[in-house]
């Protein structure tokens, strides 16, 4: 056997430049990993590079086309009806996307282009707007930049109303019936009332002017009133002030409702609140508030009525002529000023007050019962001589 034959027959022989197959356990040989020939690998890499460049160039062309080509836009004037909402914090791009999604405009870019050409577009206000499907972007923008186009049903609930009276106002000025509001109020756990309200909405439906959106419901309106009350309570520091004064927030709301019923002028609210606190804790009155409005609440009659002798004997925890201390809860809905007065009463020694002029609302405050009688006589003179039957 020559040397060349030995290399061919001997498995252990090593041929220079060639890696031998080494048997694995069990006598089998491992398969060699196959590598692409160098020229083929280079061609594959080149193909990937060319493909990536093509995708990048194509995408860039598309972006440039979107940027500089005229975006798709409807000719208008549009059709049908769309109640479109602009929400707090919406950017022009978000408005454009929402408009396109609602079928109002053909493309986001058409709306953005229209907005960029109109300086008033930066002042678009939150709310609902009546638009159409397939509007020209500029026409849709014209509607949105004018706050007069905001869809709303404005309802004003005045201060000093009981829940039953608030329901009447809402039923008269909205599309919902008295029964629908009462059904909502029968589920107080879903209204957002504070725990200390005890599930009773009396005093917690805040009196204010409300702009109701087109999708308002009887429940959403009541909840909005409770939310507005919470805002007023937070601004007055109701819970903190109650704790500092030794009362519960519910008791302060009760005081606020009494202030609302008794004080006719802004300058008197803090003083009336102080009279209530003085009467609750002082020896002068044995804790009896003797407020007519609470008796009228118990009698289910107008809070401004003059109680009869029979009314004053009504057996009710709301009768503050018979029961010392505060009534169980608010008797009407107080506004911002009354809540503020209850939380921040005007310091003073008064136990009594008398409105001596019903035309101007002038009210005088007294520290003693004798002084109180003097002011009552002044009111009597006014009623006899100047009121022309107003008393």
């Amino acid at each position: 056997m020559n040397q060349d034959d030995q290399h061919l027959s001997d498995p252990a022989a090593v041929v220079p430049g060639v890696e031998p197959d080494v048997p694995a356990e069990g006598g089998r040989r491992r398969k060699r990993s196959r590598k692409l020939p160098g020229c083929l690998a280079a061609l594959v890499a080149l193909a990937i590079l060319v493909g990536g460049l093509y995708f990048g160039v194509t995408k860039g062309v598309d972006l440039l086309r979107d940027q500089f080509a005229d975006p798709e836009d409807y000719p208008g004037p549009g059709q049908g009806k769309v109640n479109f909402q602009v929400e707090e914090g919406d950017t022009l791009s978000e408005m454009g996307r929402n408009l396109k999604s609602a079928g109002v405009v053909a493309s986001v870019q058409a709306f953005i282009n229209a907005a960029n050409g109109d300086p008033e577009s930066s002042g678009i206000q939150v709310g609902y707007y009546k638009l159409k499907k397939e509007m020209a972007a500029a026409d849709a923008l014209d509607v949105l930049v004018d706050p007069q186009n905001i869809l709303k049903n404005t309802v004003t609930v005045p201060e000093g109303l009981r829940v039953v009276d608030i329901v009447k106002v809402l039923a008269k000025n909205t599309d919902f019936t008295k029964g629908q509001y009462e059904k909502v109020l029968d589920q107080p756990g879903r209204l957002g009332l504070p725990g200390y309200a005890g599930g009773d909405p009396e005093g917690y439906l805040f009196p204010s002017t409300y702009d109701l959106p087109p999708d308002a419901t009887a429940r959403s309106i009541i909840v909005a009133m409770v939310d507005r009350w919470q805002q007023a309570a937070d601004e007055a520091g109701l819970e903190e002030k109650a704790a500092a004064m030794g009362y519960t927030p519910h008791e302060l709301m009760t005081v606020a409702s009494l202030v609302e019923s008794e004080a006719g002028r802004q300058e008197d609210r803090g003083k009336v609140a102080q009279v209530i606190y003085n009467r609750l804790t002082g020896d002068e009155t044995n804790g009896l508030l003797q407020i007519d409005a609470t008796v009228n609440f118990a009698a289910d009659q107008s809070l401004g009525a003059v109680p009869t002798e029979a009314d004053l004997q009504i057996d009710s925890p709301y009768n503050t002529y018979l029961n010392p201390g505060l009534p169980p809860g608010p008797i009407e809905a107080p506004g911002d000023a009354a809540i503020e007065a209850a939380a921040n009463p005007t310091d003073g020694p008064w136990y009594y007050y008398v409105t001596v002029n019903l035309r101007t609302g002038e009210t005088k405050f007294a520290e003693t019962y004798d002084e109180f009688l003097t002011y009552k006589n002044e009111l009597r003179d006014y009623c006899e001589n100047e009121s022309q039957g107003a008393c």
Side-chain angles (χ1 to χ4, degrees):
M1 181 182 295
N2 61 29
Q3 188 176 12
D4 291 338
D5 292 338
Q6 183 178 2
H7 283 304
L8 292 172
S9 62
D10 185 358
V14 177
V15 179
V18 178
E19 181 180 351
D21 288 338
V22 180
E25 289 187 79
R28 296 183 180 179
R29 298 178 183 273
R30 291 194 302 241
K31 292 183 178 180
R32 292 180 183 177
S33 60
R34 298 184 178 182
K35 298 181 181 179
L36 291 173
C39 60
L40 180 58
L43 288 173
V44 171
L46 180 60
I48 292 173
L49 177 62
V50 171
L53 288 173
Y54 174 79
F55 176 80
V57 170
T58 303
K59 187 68 173 177
V61 169
D62 288 342
L63 290 173
L64 288 173
R65 183 184 298 114
D66 290 343
Q67 185 70 25
F68 295 105
D70 290 336
E72 184 181 1
D73 197 5
Y74 292 126
Q79 58 187 336
K81 183 178 73 172
V82 175
N83 286 335
F84 179 74
Q85 183 182 14
V86 176
E87 299 189 62
E88 189 71 41
D90 277 359
T91 64
L92 290 172
S93 295
E94 288 169 327
M95 292 181 208
R97 287 193 291 271
N98 294 337
L99 286 166
K100 184 176 186 300
S101 177
V104 176
V105 300
S107 66
V108 177
Q109 193 61 48
F111 177 76
I112 292 176
N113 288 352
N116 287 339
D118 188 342
E120 293 185 0
S121 64
S122 61
I124 295 176
Q125 296 184 18
V126 171
Y128 284 84
Y129 297 81
K130 184 178 179 180
L131 299 174
K132 299 177 181 179
K133 287 186 176 293
E134 300 183 0
M135 295 181 71
D139 292 344
L141 181 68
D142 286 343
V143 175
L144 296 178
V145 297
D146 187 353
Q148 296 296 319
N149 291 325
I150 296 177
L151 294 175
K152 56 189 178 183
N153 178 23
T154 301
V155 177
T156 298
V157 178
E159 293 90 347
L161 296 186
R162 297 172 297 178
V163 167
V164 293
D165 299 316
I166 291 173
V167 166
K168 292 177 183 177
V169 171
L170 294 177
K172 180 180 179 180
N173 293 281
T174 68
D175 294 331
F176 308 105
T177 65
K178 178 173 173 285
Q180 287 174 299
Y181 285 112
E182 289 173 342
K183 184 177 180 180
V184 170
L185 292 168
D186 284 340
Q187 304 174 62
R190 300 177 62 188
L191 303 182
L193 292 167
Y196 49 77
D200 187 351
E202 193 71 72
Y204 294 93
L205 303 185
F206 194 78
S208 185
T209 295
Y210 294 89
D211 291 331
L212 306 179
D215 63 346
T217 64
R219 183 176 305 284
S220 72
I221 293 170
I222 296 295
V223 169
M225 298 183 74
V226 175
D227 290 345
R228 179 62 183 84
W229 165 82
Q230 185 65 65
Q231 178 186 338
D234 291 343
E235 290 173 354
L238 182 73
E239 295 190 11
E240 297 80 4
K241 291 295 177 62
M245 297 168 66
Y247 292 92
T248 68
H250 187 62
E251 288 173 330
L252 251 66
M253 281 302 298
T254 302
V255 172
S257 75
L258 301 180
V259 171
E260 189 67 65
S261 70
E262 294 291 293
R265 302 185 304 174
Q266 174 59 32
E267 60 264 37
D268 295 331
R269 294 181 188 274
K271 292 182 177 181
V272 170
Q274 186 62 56
V275 168
I276 293 171
Y277 291 124
N278 288 344
R279 293 180 71 92
L280 288 172
T281 59
D283 296 332
E284 181 78 13
T285 57
N286 296 318
L288 290 171
L289 295 180
Q290 297 180 314
I291 292 178
D292 290 352
T294 66
V295 176
N296 291 326
F297 183 86
D300 195 25
Q301 58 192 16
S302 171
L303 298 184
V306 177
T308 65
E309 286 299 323
D311 293 334
L312 297 177
Q313 300 305 314
I314 290 177
D315 183 13
S316 167
Y318 284 90
N319 186 345
T320 56
Y321 279 83
L322 297 180
N323 301 289
L326 288 167
I331 62 172
E332 60 181 47
D336 282 304
I339 295 175
E340 177 67 25
N344 298 279
T346 303
D347 188 38
W350 316 289
Y351 284 90
Y352 309 90
Y353 52 83
V354 179
T355 300
V356 297
N357 188 314
L358 302 183
R359 181 175 55 82
T360 64
E362 179 187 0
T363 301
K364 293 186 177 182
F365 294 81
E367 182 177 355
T368 67
Y369 186 70
D370 287 341
E371 190 179 8
F372 165 70
L373 291 178
T374 299
Y375 296 149
K376 281 198 70 174
N377 289 332
E378 187 174 339
L379 173 61
R380 185 177 296 109
D381 291 341
Y382 168 84
C383 290
E384 292 176 354
N385 302 319
E386 301 182 36
S387 72
Q388 298 179 347
C391 295

